[in-house]
Amino acid sequence: SQTIHQWPATLVQPVGSPLSLECTVEGTSNPNLYWYRQAAGRGLQLLFYSVGIGQISSEVPQNLSASRPQDRQFILSSKKLLLSDSGFYLCAWSAFRLQETQYFGPGTRLLVL
Amino acid sequence: DQQVKQNSPSLSVQEGRISILNCDYTNSMFDYFLWYKKYPAEGPTFLISISSIKDKNEDGRFTVFLNKSAKHLSLHIVPSQPGDSAVYFCAASGLNAGNMLTFGGGTRLMVKP
């Protein structure tokens, strides 16, 4: 069966520090991968998605970037965190077919102080 | 422009009664709809989906209804249980958007014992 991992679970970082969040998927090949952010009390905002290694699409302009160095690895990064980057970050995967359900990881809670 | 809206931010229901969560969408190209359940500090869990070729899909206590002419879907939970207390997100996708999901803002369901 497929599983999705995210780490760390919680992160407290000072403003201006770098960020690296990692997501890995097991049990499937060539998945579509996604990064979402949920700000406090709000819905899910799609940040990035990837349909293959090295292929990243960004949905909103922001202080973050994403990379996919391996088929089942998706990384969310920032060179300098802002206070507004605080939130709950979720990675998700779906099969590489149309209209497939997205499955989410456990999430990373990021607090920028 | 919110293409998927959940107009009720919260809903309170007595245990054993029916919970009805509503979702409206504006994009007529959406043809696949999903409901997710989310506990605090966890990733969303997929509940149930429906394709636009159907108007009803049932899975145990959960039933999703789709009214394409009204661009409206609803999730019925019968009977409601205290463990159903969570935030529920509806999401939609269309063939022209690949596997991209557009999420509503969520409805917090509280089931009282």
Side-chain angles (χ1 to χ4, degrees):
Chain A
S1 64
Q2 299 86 7
T3 56
I4 179 168
H5 304 278
Q6 279 186 252
W7 63 92
T10 304
L11 191 60
V12 180
Q13 292 285 98
V15 169
S17 64
L19 173 74
S20 181
L21 302 181
E22 188 162 345
C23 170
T24 59
V25 181
E26 297 177 357
T28 186
S29 296
N30 198 26
N32 288 347
L33 296 172
Y34 312 83
W35 278 112
Y36 288 87
R37 174 170 58 201
Q38 184 186 21
R42 304 185 68 178
L44 298 174
Q45 180 187 36
L46 179 64
L47 302 175
F48 300 96
Y49 67 93
S50 171
V51 298
I53 296 174
Q55 299 179 62
I56 309 294
S57 297
S58 174
E59 287 296 297
V60 292
Q62 58 206 310
N63 184 42
L64 303 168
S65 62
S67 62
R68 183 169 177 175
Q70 301 180 45
D71 180 46
R72 289 169 288 177
Q73 183 185 30
F74 206 22
I75 297 173
L76 184 68
S77 304
S78 174
K79 292 181 179 178
K80 289 185 177 182
L81 284 169
L82 306 172
L83 287 174
S84 57
D85 291 324
S86 294
F88 192 55
Y89 289 84
L90 291 156
C91 181
W93 75 274
S94 69
F96 191 68
R97 288 184 296 272
L98 290 176
Q99 295 192 336
E100 287 289 336
T101 300
Q102 289 184 22
Y103 298 94
F104 287 82
T108 294
R109 182 167 301 283
L110 172 66
L111 181 59
V112 182
L113 300 175
Chain B
D1 174 33
Q2 279 188 286
Q3 297 187 67
V4 179
K5 291 184 181 180
Q6 294 176 255
N7 291 316
S8 298
S10 64
L11 174 68
S12 182
V13 172
Q14 204 67 34
E15 181 179 6
R17 308 293 291 269
I18 184 172
S19 295
I20 300 177
L21 299 133
N22 294 304
C23 180
D24 297 293
Y25 62 97
T26 57
N27 190 339
S28 58
M29 297 300 289
F30 287 149
D31 57 3
Y32 184 60
F33 305 89
L34 309 90
W35 283 95
Y36 287 86
K37 173 183 179 180
K38 186 181 182 299
Y39 293 118
E42 293 185 12
T45 303
F46 168 71
L47 276 178
I48 192 168
S49 63
I50 188 167
S51 168
S52 59
I53 62 174
K54 301 175 72 173
D55 53 18
K56 177 183 175 181
N57 189 24
E58 191 172 355
D59 184 1
R61 296 187 298 115
F62 301 93
T63 303
V64 55
F65 295 91
L66 175 63
N67 183 333
K68 291 184 287 294
S69 60
K71 294 189 176 67
H72 177 83
L73 67 154
S74 60
L75 175 68
H76 292 208
I77 306 174
V78 183
S80 300
Q81 300 172 355
D84 295 330
S85 297
V87 176
Y88 290 78
F89 290 98
C90 66
S93 74
L95 284 176
N96 64 333
N99 275 339
M100 296 303 105
L101 291 179
T102 301
F103 282 85
T107 296
R108 182 177 301 278
L109 174 65
M110 293 163 284
V111 180
K112 298 178 180 178

